[in-house]
C-alpha cells in the first residue's frame, strides 16, 4: 500500500485523523514492517515507470546482443570451414607436386593463392613459385619478387622469397645484382643471414671476384653462431681461394 493509501485510511477513521481504531489490523506488526511495505511499494512504482520508459530500449539491446553473438558464431564456423577446405586443397596440390606433375601442382597452388584463407594463400604463393622454377625460372623469379615486395606477407616470408630468388640467379646473374638483393639479408638480426652470406660468397666465387668471396667466407667462419655445415663449406671455399692465389 502506498503512503497516500495509508494517509487516506487515517483521514477516514471514525474518530478522525487521531482515531487509530482502524489500524487494529496492524496489531502484531512492527513499525519497521510497515515502512518496509511502503518502501517495496515505492520501488515497484519506480521500476514500473522505468520499464514503461526504457523497456523497449532494453528489449532492443538484448535482441542486438543475441544477434551479434549469433553472427560471430556464424563467422567462426565459416572461417573454420574455409580453413579446412584450404588445408585439403593444399594437401592435394602437394600430392600433385610429389607425383612429378609440376604444371598441375602449379595450377592447384595458383587457385589456392586466390581462393584460400590468408595463411594458405601465402604458402600457396611460395609453392606456386617453387613449381614454376622447375619449368620457367624467369616466371618463378618474377613470382618470388612479387612476394618479396608484398609487405603484407611479413619480413620472414619476404626474406624467404628473396633468398629463393638468389638461388635461382646465383649461376647466371652478375655478382652486383645478387649483392643488391641479398646483402640486406646478411644483418645479424636476419633469420636467413647464413644462407644469404653463403650465396653471396658463391656468387662472388663464380664471378671470379675473389676479394668479395674471401670477405663473405671470412664473415661466415668468424661468426660463432654459424651452423656447422655452413662453416665447413666456407672453410673449403676459403682454401680454394687461397689455392687460386687471387684472394
Amino acid at each position: 500500500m502506498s503512503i497516500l493509501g495509508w494517509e487516506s485510511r487515517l483521514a477516514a477513521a471514525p474518530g478522525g485523523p487521531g482515531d487509530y481504531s482502524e489500524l487494529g489490523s496492524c496489531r502484531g506488526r512492527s513499525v519497521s514492517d510497515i515502512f518496509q511495505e511502503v518502501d517495496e511499494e515505492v520501488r515497484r512504482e519506480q521500476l514500473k515507470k522505468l520499464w514503461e520508459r526504457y523497456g523497449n530500449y532494453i528489449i532492443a539491446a538484448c535482441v542486438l546482443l543475441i544477434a551479434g553473438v549469433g553472427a560471430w558464431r556464424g563467422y567462426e564456423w565459416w572461417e573454420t570451414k574455409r580453413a579446412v577446405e584450404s588445408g585439403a586443397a593444399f594437401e592435394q596440390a602437394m600430392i600433385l607436386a610429389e607425383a612429378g606433375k609440376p604444371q598441375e601442382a602449379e595450377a592447384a597452388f595458383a587457385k589456392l593463392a586466390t581462393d584460400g584463407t590468408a595463411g594458405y594463400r601465402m604458402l600457396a604463393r611460395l609453392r606456386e613459385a617453387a613449381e614454376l622454377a622447375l619449368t620457367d625460372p624467369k616466371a618463378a623469379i618474377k613470382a618470388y619478387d612479387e612476394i618479396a615486395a608484398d609487405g603484407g606477407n611479413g619480413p620472414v616470408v619476404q626474406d624467404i622469397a628473396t633468398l629463393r630468388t638468389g638461388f635461382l640467379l646465383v649461376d647466371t646473374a652478375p655478382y652486383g645484382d645478387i649483392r643488391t638483393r641479398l646483402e640486406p639479408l646478411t644483418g645479424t638480426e636476419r633469420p636467413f643471414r647464413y644462407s644469404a652470406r653463403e650465396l653471396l660468397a658463391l656468387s662472388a666465387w663464380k664471378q671470379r671476384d675473389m676479394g668479395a668471396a674471401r670477405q663473405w667466407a671470412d664473415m661466415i667462419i668468424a661468426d660463432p653462431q654459424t651452423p656447422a655445415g655452413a662453416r665447413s663449406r666456407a672453410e673449403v671455399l676459403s682454401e680454394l681461394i687461397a689455392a687460386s692465389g687471387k684472394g
Side-chain angles (χ1 to χ4, degrees):
M1 181 180 293
S2 67
I3 295 174
L4 293 176
W6 283 103
E7 291 175 347
S8 298
R9 292 184 63 178
L10 289 173
D19 187 353
Y20 300 102
S21 60
E22 281 294 314
L23 302 181
S25 61
C26 296
R27 291 174 182 173
R29 298 172 61 189
S30 66
V31 175
S32 63
D33 291 337
I34 296 172
F35 277 107
Q36 183 178 357
E37 182 178 345
V38 173
D39 288 342
E40 290 176 354
E41 182 68 22
V42 171
R43 283 196 293 269
R44 280 196 294 270
E45 290 178 358
Q46 289 176 339
L47 288 173
K48 182 179 179 182
K49 290 179 180 179
L50 286 173
W51 180 256
E52 289 174 350
R53 185 173 182 180
Y54 299 109
N56 291 336
Y57 297 106
I58 295 172
I59 293 172
C62 291
V63 171
L64 287 174
L65 177 61
I66 294 171
V69 171
W72 176 252
R73 292 297 184 187
Y75 175 76
E76 285 184 330
W77 173 85
W78 181 68
E79 279 292 300
T80 301
K81 180 174 180 290
R82 286 191 65 212
V84 171
E85 292 173 348
S86 295
F90 188 83
E91 183 178 358
Q92 185 60 38
M94 289 292 294
I95 291 172
L96 291 171
E98 292 170 359
K101 300 178 179 178
Q103 292 182 341
E104 291 88 339
E106 176 199 333
F109 284 123
K111 185 176 186 302
L112 185 58
T114 302
D115 301 335
T117 55
Y120 280 108
R121 284 200 301 270
M122 179 267 294
L123 290 175
R125 290 180 69 186
L126 287 171
R127 287 296 310 187
E128 179 190 2
E131 295 303 319
L132 272 173
L134 300 176
T135 57
D136 191 346
K138 290 184 178 180
I141 291 169
K142 182 176 181 295
Y144 280 129
D145 282 343
E146 290 174 353
I147 296 171
D150 187 349
N153 290 322
V156 173
V157 173
Q158 289 176 287
D159 283 2
I160 290 174
T162 301
L163 195 63
R164 292 285 188 179
T165 303
F167 277 110
L168 292 174
L169 291 172
V170 69
D171 290 327
T172 57
Y175 168 70
D177 291 352
I178 300 292
R179 181 176 179 177
T180 299
R181 289 174 177 273
L182 297 183
E183 191 168 25
L185 275 62
T186 63
T188 56
E189 301 301 323
R190 303 301 278 268
F192 306 108
R193 57 188 176 276
Y194 306 113
S195 297
R197 292 169 185 174
E198 275 198 270
L199 277 176
L200 284 165
L202 180 59
S203 174
W205 166 259
K206 287 177 174 291
Q207 297 292 320
R208 301 300 180 186
D209 188 341
M210 299 303 173
R214 167 69 73 183
Q215 171 195 346
W216 293 113
D218 288 348
M219 181 181 292
I220 295 168
I221 296 169
D223 189 336
Q225 296 182 338
T226 297
R231 185 184 304 279
S232 296
R233 290 188 292 272
E235 288 171 349
V236 170
L237 180 59
S238 183
E239 292 174 0
L240 289 173
I241 295 171
S244 71
K246 297 180 180 180

